[in-house]
Amino acid sequence: MSSTLRPDGPRPDGAAAVEAYATSDAAAPTADVVPSSAAPATTTPPTTTPPLGQALVEAADGPFHVLRERLRREVLTADLLRDPTLDLAAAREWTTRQTRRFADSGCASIGYPHQYGGTGDASDLPVCFGMLGYADLSFDIKVGVQFGLFAGSILTLGGPWHRETYLRDALAMRLPGAFAMTELGHGSDVQHVETTIRYLPATEEYEIDSPTPTATKAYIGNAARDARMAVVFGRLLAGGTDHGVHAVLVPIRDEAGTPLPGVTIGDHGHKGGLLGVDNGTLRFDHVRVPRRLLLDRFGGVTAYGRYRSPIENRNARFFTMVGTLVRGRISVGGSAAAATRRSIALAARYALRRRQFPVPGGESDVLLLDYLTHQRRLLPRIAEAYAYGFAQNELLGQLRRWDGLESPDVGVERELETRAAALKAAQTRWAVDTVQAMREACGGAGFMTENVLTQIRQDVDVFVTFEGDNTVLQQLVAKELLVGYRAAWGDLDLLGMARVAARTLGEAVLERTAAQPLIARLVARAQVRDEEGLPLERGWQVVMFEDRERHILESLAHRAREAARARPEEAFAALNALAPHMLAAARAHTDRLVLEAFIAGIDATQDGRAALLLDRLCDLYVMSTLEADRGWFLEHHRITPTRSKEISARVDALCGELRPYVADLVEGFGIPEVLLDAPMVRD
Amino acid sequence: MSSTLRPDGPRPDGAAAVEAYATSDAAAPTADVVPSSAAPATTTPPTTTPPLGQALVEAADGPFHVLRERLRREVLTADLLRDPTLDLAAAREWTTRQTRRFADSGCASIGYPHQYGGTGDASDLPVCFGMLGYADLSFDIKVGVQFGLFAGSILTLGGPWHRETYLRDALAMRLPGAFAMTELGHGSDVQHVETTIRYLPATEEYEIDSPTPTATKAYIGNAARDARMAVVFGRLLAGGTDHGVHAVLVPIRDEAGTPLPGVTIGDHGHKGGLLGVDNGTLRFDHVRVPRRLLLDRFGGVTAYGRYRSPIENRNARFFTMVGTLVRGRISVGGSAAAATRRSIALAARYALRRRQFPVPGGESDVLLLDYLTHQRRLLPRIAEAYAYGFAQNELLGQLRRWDGLESPDVGVERELETRAAALKAAQTRWAVDTVQAMREACGGAGFMTENVLTQIRQDVDVFVTFEGDNTVLQQLVAKELLVGYRAAWGDLDLLGMARVAARTLGEAVLERTAAQPLIARLVARAQVRDEEGLPLERGWQVVMFEDRERHILESLAHRAREAARARPEEAFAALNALAPHMLAAARAHTDRLVLEAFIAGIDATQDGRAALLLDRLCDLYVMSTLEADRGWFLEHHRITPTRSKEISARVDALCGELRPYVADLVEGFGIPEVLLDAPMVRD
């Protein structure tokens, strides 16, 4: 079996553009996929063709290319390079200044309705926040707190009066605000916050109170320094009844910046990263605000104290209330991935300059990137960068469709929330691990602050635990999968399910992505092919990913049904034992979503050379993902030991084949040059 | 098969003390291993028994208990808690002050000969540096640079004149010094440094020069601020010949701190961690020093320019010259592991206080440590902490034996260097991954600087790339294993080797550790046992680890022999393709060393309860190590899919069984209480 690129070999159906290109004159007739500026080109591309890197940028930007290009031009400038040696006070000052500048530029209202100066497309907001991750994460998060969480709560949880009164000031940063949801004792457990919002009919006011130390609002961005007002989440008490979690606007500082009476503000001070974000604590001692400050779109109290809500189901109401979080999760996943791409680009450029140890018998030292061990550090990460990029685009598209719905659709919303949680957890985990790997790949130079990587590393760290702790989010994903599974299969037992043909089962069990018809064709083709070259057959790859997800989910459902029969005093132990299985289900599900998005992304790529390169990069993504979890595939007889070793050999071979295109591939991230400057990559 | 602890079940031979204890009255008759203050004890231990935590401290300290207790009392005080918000200048100032205080206390000469105020046992030095990792890593590294690398070079590379002239001042920090080996273009490749040390017979001087930009000495500790003198490594040129790498003392600053003529000092400034260490660059422009400043114990030049060395072989001389590094590597591995234990102890205490989400049907929220996912984050790390601790003790013992040798023994030295490299790479990798996992296990609290974890995380980061980049060190380990393999088997081809009985082969191929006779008994017993309870049978576990190492090494040797036949122009490609295989060989080798050390450590443990607990902890170490690499074991038919799933289930079960002993286990790390203070674990 050949280990070289096969531009004229069998291609999966979905890569029609690639096939067309591969048989055209412009295709390289040798092992090189495409002519590359960094690689010894065997043919010269037609002069009218755009540079390969630019074609990759367009492919990776997908439907958001125009907006992203605007952000590259107007926002991602050298002004956003924070001096990483600034102390806490200076870093906060810098970040506030940049946030104001961002508001002044008019970009803060991107994603808001036209009447507030926005683009009118709410999904633009997380596109924008994601792009800011290329610059400075403190700035990005501060922008997210002010224009996403704070202003976003006014837009989505408030009524017309709240919007008209506060939204313009919030978007102009004339009214800096905080989003006070998390409590010291209730990080991931929002449903059990202790803060109370009690209605007082005599004065038509709400009284906000922190009854216990654990009710303290904690890690609140903007709280320690800038915020004048906070969106405070607490339990709404009216007429002797607890109506569950609601949000209310509470002024917390006066014009001079002094905390208002009854409001105690703490400062978390120095943190492991994101020094520019002023996280603080908030405590309320029977603070009163007028009745109209309750963000009452989904539930409020009449002057006489009667509770009213357009959503009858209490649980559904809660999830609608905290729905603001979905945009936040989509945003931080995108930001973390952007910051990670920046770290990969820096490490790749370093590896293309740095030499170490002499070539045996040669004249110069070996370039770092020519070491297989180094290729194995970088190239799978590059493949993952594109994979997550396409998956994030698909998620943003889903958000856009959801925003465009005429009437609320609980099913669509839950699916969106599940995917947002899955991709937030996956991308932020990938981010922390990858930035660290890139730091290490640059040795001592990578540890010097001037070379940017340690700053990215410190700033991205908290992304795995904030905006939903990853472990909690993955369990949420698994629970949703189980719910969907139960809806599809009811009380069929395992044997009953096994009797159903595997494919039918799979299609009903697995939520389909946008690429459904394409994927179905690939899979159908894989079924009839013989073994040769199988691991590089896209249909086989999809089957492997689908099959793992389905099997894990089925066995989890079986165990969950057993656990549900446990006696009450054993219920916790029974559920607890399932937790690692649930995490595995979430991971397998996410991997499959990402692969399908990658395939759809390649299919949508117009440029033949870019598509061809992405197609091979997708092979690397699949091979390295299978390699990492080969224990599972072997345990469940999905691959033979021989196949398993072949997969590892494929990773090696693909690294070597893609190595000449590394410069193009990182150019394809579309990171403005000014943000990729560092002494270690300077001439 | 029972998943509970089996204090009265079959025990491996080596755990004689455990067996004795398990059948004594003090043993808990139920599933609990030992009574624990944190666990519901089923029996009360005799009042004369020391606390379990203390017994674990003694077991883990092993032969170094007395010295470590002295360091806990005299050195590891609250003075060593650096304020993590100090800026660069203040952090350096603090670190220098602490280093002077350490010198003033007389502890700096620990490990030096008696005439210099020391203990006379050179292996005490790395024991000491390792313990300082519990406090502050900037302080630890600064101490290591000054009293380990700088003073250590004078001791080991210099003659009597150098020692008498400089050593006391160096140990008192009256002469702050730098160790200038690494060059900008030659981080891991010391053999190819470009700095020249040219002998000028006319004036009987050496002229030190940095001929190119890449010859700049880089990342040199103490250089940016404090050092008055440097040990400079360069190529010794005399009589028209390049005699290879030697070291010379070069004054670099005057008493006032001004750089001397011809010496250009740069400052690396802000770094990703270790802010207290003043790393800088050094360049020399034809700087002259008197002839006697060459550290000439292993090679020097007569007044007339004739080169003389007691070591004829040039290669052997080089490795002797850079032999100082072995102590450095042993030290940083120990320091990183100590810092990691501190992070585990903090996260464990947090998990024993923090509650999140209500118990279904219960009254209070669930303690974090009661979640299986959380146990899986912490408990295997605790097991690894003990495993690496015992392995480090064994390495320190090996260093002590080497120091005690009457005459140099190249074989013993190479083995020591190989193990130092293996354990440095393994412990520092473990450190970076584990501290991060502990930070995440503490959620938002873990990200607040006041809770210490992010500081440890930042400081320990560079340990994976300094004092020998881990990837390079692992390749060095694999090369040494191949050399040993070749020495044992010569040109026998694979078939020839396969004909030799597997056990004989194994014993000759695998370097034995101190635990040899014990291990041999365990293995012999495993061979005749049947399948039931096999994974918890120590002999079976050893066979699994040994077998993996042997197989990887044999197949590597086979491939290396093939590669050696490549044509010159293909030599690099042929060797390059082996690199991932080499890394796997190094990892498998290290895992086996660590397991054998763990077994020997349990065998040497006097306290029955501690031994019993460590025995079960060793099971967890093995099960989680096997689980992590189950892909390999399945690929190579060493375990069946069923067995593989059983191993994962064993990890879950062992986590549950050991969970009641977590408080004792982290107490057993022997970290002074003042160093475990943080707001998140305070009452």
Side-chain angles (χ1 to χ4, degrees), chain B residues 32 110 122 152 182 223 321 331 348 388 465 519 545 549 566 603 629:
Chain B
D32 289 318
I110 284 176
T182 297
M321 291 286 186
S331 297
Y388 286 125
T465 46
I519 301 292
F545 277 52
E549 178 185 356
D603 192 51
D629 202 21

Side-chain angles (χ1 to χ4, degrees), chain A residues 84-85 184-189 192 219 268 270-273 354-358 360 365-366 370-373 376-377 429 432 436 439-440 443-445 447-449 454 457-458 461-462 464-465 469 471-472 475 572 576-577 579-580 583 629-632 634-637 641 644-645 652, chain B residues 84-85 184-189 192 219 268 270-273 354-358 360 365-366 370-373 376-377 429 432 436 439-440 443-445 447-450 454 457-458 461-462 464-465 469 471-472 475 572 576-577 579-580 583 630-632 634-637 641 644-645 652:
Chain A
T85 66
L184 211 49
H186 312 275
S188 298
D189 186 11
H192 293 93
Y219 314 123
H268 281 296
H270 211 279
K271 294 170 298 173
R354 173 75 176 175
R355 295 176 179 275
Q356 191 77 289
F357 293 109
D365 284 1
V366 179
D370 285 329
Y371 287 108
L372 175 57
T373 47
R376 267 189 164 262
R377 285 167 133 172
R429 175 77 272 149
V432 167
Q436 179 63 23
R439 189 317 268 161
E440 293 175 17
F447 193 61
M448 301 300 116
T449 302
T454 54
R457 179 64 190 68
Q458 289 169 19
D461 184 353
V462 77
V464 293
T465 47
D469 178 272
T471 305
V472 176
Q475 294 189 342
F572 172 71
N576 198 22
L583 300 187
D629 202 21
R630 68 198 203 280
W632 189 92
L634 286 158
E635 267 178 358
H636 295 82
H637 304 283
S644 181
K645 291 179 195 168
D652 289 351
Chain B
T85 66
L184 211 50
H186 313 274
S188 298
D189 186 11
H192 294 92
Y219 314 123
H268 281 295
H270 211 278
K271 294 171 297 174
R354 172 76 174 175
R355 295 175 179 274
Q356 190 79 291
F357 292 108
D365 284 2
V366 180
D370 285 329
Y371 287 108
L372 176 57
T373 46
R376 267 190 164 261
R377 284 167 135 172
R429 174 77 273 149
V432 168
Q436 178 65 23
R439 188 318 267 159
E440 293 175 17
F447 193 61
M448 302 300 114
T449 302
E450 62 183 10
T454 54
R457 179 63 192 68
Q458 289 168 20
D461 183 355
V462 76
V464 293
T465 46
D469 178 272
T471 305
V472 176
Q475 294 189 341
F572 171 70
N576 198 24
L583 299 187
R630 68 197 204 280
W632 188 92
L634 286 159
E635 266 178 358
H636 295 83
H637 305 282
S644 181
K645 291 179 196 169
D652 288 351

Side-chain angles (χ1 to χ4, degrees), chain A residues 26 33 159 163 182 195 245 260 263 302 306 376 391 421 445 455 552 608 628:
Chain A
V33 199
R163 286 178 224 155
T182 297
T195 301
V245 177
L260 292 171
V263 179
T302 65
R306 181 140 164 238
R376 267 189 164 262
Q455 193 195 356
I552 293 176

Side-chain angles (χ1 to χ4, degrees), chain A residues 98-181:
Chain A
Q98 293 304 323
T99 307
R100 288 191 188 284
R101 217 173 57 92
F102 182 73
D104 293 345
S105 77
C107 289
S109 55
I110 284 175
Y112 279 83
H114 295 297
Q115 67 262 43
Y116 302 106
T119 55
D121 182 344
S123 62
D124 287 352
L125 202 71
V127 174
C128 176
F129 295 147
M131 288 296 284
L132 301 187
Y134 282 136
D136 179 79
L137 289 173
S138 280
F139 166 65
D140 190 7
I141 294 301
K142 186 101 173 171
V143 160
V145 167
Q146 175 67 26
F147 308 116
L149 295 175
F150 177 64
S153 297
I154 296 171
L155 179 73
T156 58
L157 301 181
W161 180 83
H162 301 104
R163 286 178 224 155
E164 283 307 304
T165 310
Y166 296 115
L167 199 50
R168 286 186 189 81
D169 282 350
L171 291 174
M173 188 98 173
R174 284 187 299 269
L175 178 67
F179 180 83
M181 179 183 273

Side-chain angles (χ1 to χ4, degrees), chain B residues 481-672:
Chain B
L481 294 177
L482 281 176
V483 167
Y485 183 88
R486 210 175 295 140
W489 294 97
D491 277 336
L492 256 188
D493 65 9
L494 203 64
L495 187 64
M497 293 190 298
R499 284 189 187 125
V500 182
R503 291 258 21 103
T504 326
L505 180 65
E507 277 162 19
V509 168
L510 306 184
E511 269 174 15
R512 276 292 174 196
T513 59
Q516 179 155 9
L518 167 58
I519 301 292
R521 279 205 308 283
L522 292 174
V523 168
R525 184 186 272 213
Q527 309 290 71
V528 298
R529 285 187 53 80
D530 66 6
E531 285 272 306
E532 191 167 351
L534 205 55
L536 296 188
E537 184 65 49
R538 194 73 74 228
W540 180 84
Q541 297 172 354
V542 172
V543 169
M544 295 302 286
F545 277 52
E546 283 188 350
D547 193 37
R548 178 179 54 151
E549 178 185 356
R550 187 169 51 239
H551 181 90
I552 293 177
L553 188 53
E554 282 171 7
S555 54
L556 176 62
H558 179 66
R559 288 181 67 190
R561 201 171 297 128
E562 293 291 317
R565 295 198 194 104
R567 282 171 298 159
E569 65 273 24
E570 288 169 355
F572 171 70
L575 283 172
N576 198 24
L578 297 183
H581 202 147
M582 292 177 77
L583 299 187
R587 278 192 299 265
H589 174 70
T590 313
D591 283 348
R592 200 254 310 167
L593 290 184
V594 171
L595 174 58
E596 295 194 359
F598 204 151
I599 292 169
I602 296 169
D603 192 51
T605 296
Q606 299 299 310
D607 184 285
R609 301 156 311 152
L612 195 54
L613 194 53
L614 289 170
D615 195 53
R616 192 43 51 104
L617 208 58
C618 186
D619 283 336
L620 179 57
Y621 169 72
V622 172
M623 291 303 116
S624 60
T625 304
L626 293 179
E627 183 186 44
D629 202 21
R630 68 197 204 280
W632 188 92
F633 288 99
L634 286 159
E635 266 178 358
H636 295 83
H637 305 282
R638 262 56 180 186
I639 56 174
T640 62
T642 307
R643 175 77 76 211
S644 181
K645 291 179 196 169
E646 183 194 343
I647 286 166
S648 290
R650 294 259 175 215
V651 174
D652 288 351
L654 285 163
C655 282
E657 289 175 59
L658 288 162
R659 182 249 169 273
Y661 306 97
V662 164
D664 300 300
L665 287 166
V666 301
E667 195 189 327
F669 294 162
I671 308 171

Side-chain angles (χ1 to χ4, degrees), chain B residues 250-266:
Chain B
V250 183
I252 59 169
R253 281 191 180 89
D254 63 19
E255 287 292 312
T258 311
L260 292 171
V263 179
T264 307
I265 304 181

